[in-house]
Amino acid sequence: MKQWKKTTCNDRIRQLLDRLQGSGRIFLFLDYDGTLVPIAPTPDQAVPSMKTLRLLENLCLQENLRVAVVSGRPLGELEALLPVPGLILVGVHGAEVKIPTSHGFCLRGALMTSQHGEFPQNKEICFRGLALLAQGAKELLSGRRGFLLEEKGHALALHYRLASPPEAIEVLNGFQDLWQEVIQDHHLEVIFGKKVVEIRPQGINKKLAVEALWPSWPGSVAVYIGDDTTDEDGFQAVVGRGMGVLVAEEERPTAARFRLKDPADVIELLQEMEAIT
Ligand SMILES: [Mg+2]
């Protein structure tokens, strides 16, 4: 492998590049919001720049790299946001996947996060629970502003970034009363992210998504980069065997061994990786 440029990078990036130096194959797993693009007031405002798209395109062309975006967003949204040939896309924390093949077509849609390639829970029961919660949440949010209910098929997310803090607490308390009645019987679980609370089927998470994809490229070093609670599952998948990279302004308890400050740091790291071929 060629030498990294490393002329102008900051210490955080240099430390990562030093560790990657000499790795033959690298399987790069990237979260989307808050990692590849800055967090925006609403999800539809978080779009990648042309520069980022071109960078991903070039990375996907490199022989020693395989790149996957692993996000909580639905696969369809990821496809629209990231029209990049060769890029693997994982939606709804692993419930949906799109894998480009070398013959120019894609494997799309199959869930692959259980050990046997099957949905880990009874799908119909999960969906019934999600529908109940969606209906309850809509009633709770009626007439209120600053909230966004996202029905993702395999999951349900309630965003409250633009809500006033007192109203957010009120709504979250009401939503908690709802989910406490529903989740256990419907094999669902609750996860808290950045100004979002999400309900998803138990057993669907980024750890299983990474574990399902990583063996498809034997001998590769996995690098998982992410910023939020759900990415801790991704870090767990590579702990001791690959490299977890938390994207955060400040230190915090994490399973990741490395830290980058913000999406701008991530882009700079990717540019260095692009420069090696
Ligand atoms: Mg994120």
Side-chain angles (χ1 to χ4, degrees), residues 242-254:
M243 292 165 60
V245 185
L246 174 69
V247 182
E249 294 277 345
E250 307 288 340
E251 298 278 356
R252 68 168 192 245
T254 175

Side-chain angles (χ1 to χ4, degrees), residues 67-192:
V67 190
V69 170
V70 185
S71 169
R73 287 185 183 244
L75 182 59
E77 268 182 39
L78 293 175
E79 287 178 300
L81 288 164
L82 299 166
V84 176
L87 183 64
I88 298 166
L89 297 175
V90 179
V92 200
H93 315 286
E96 302 170 338
V97 68
K98 174 182 165 181
I99 305 174
T101 73
S102 51
H103 311 296
F105 62 88
C106 288
L107 301 169
R108 188 186 186 285
L111 178 104
M112 38 169 301
T113 57
S114 78
Q115 276 185 332
H116 309 291
E118 292 161 0
F119 205 76
Q121 301 294 345
N122 184 318
K123 209 169 177 172
E124 296 312 312
I125 294 177
C126 291
F127 281 179
R128 219 176 298 143
L130 289 169
L132 277 173
L133 286 171
Q135 191 190 336
K138 279 176 195 163
E139 285 165 21
L140 202 58
L141 296 178
S142 170
R144 295 184 193 265
R145 297 162 66 100
F147 296 91
L148 173 70
L149 186 69
E150 206 185 346
E151 292 179 77
K152 302 180 180 183
H154 287 96
L156 178 71
L158 175 59
H159 300 261
Y160 51 95
R161 182 166 298 276
L162 299 179
S164 73
E167 204 172 13
I169 291 169
E170 197 184 318
V171 165
L172 288 179
N173 283 338
F175 195 39
Q176 184 174 4
D177 291 342
L178 288 174
W179 82 56
Q180 278 176 342
E181 296 226 332
V182 171
I183 54 171
Q184 203 160 357
D185 291 347
H186 294 84
H187 314 302
L188 300 169
E189 64 182 5
V190 182
I191 33 169
F192 299 89

Side-chain angles (χ1 to χ4, degrees), residues 1 22-27 63-66 216-222:
M1 182 177 281
S23 306
R25 298 164 149 192
I26 299 170
F27 206 142
E63 269 181 25
N64 64 325
L65 265 182
R66 196 165 283 189
S216 69
W217 212 30
S220 59
V221 172

Side-chain angles (χ1 to χ4, degrees), residues 31-35 39 194 206 226-228 230-231:
D31 170 50
Y32 181 74
D33 295 276
T35 298
I39 301 265
K194 291 179 175 172
K206 291 180 172 184
D227 73 308
D228 212 346
T230 59
D231 297 307

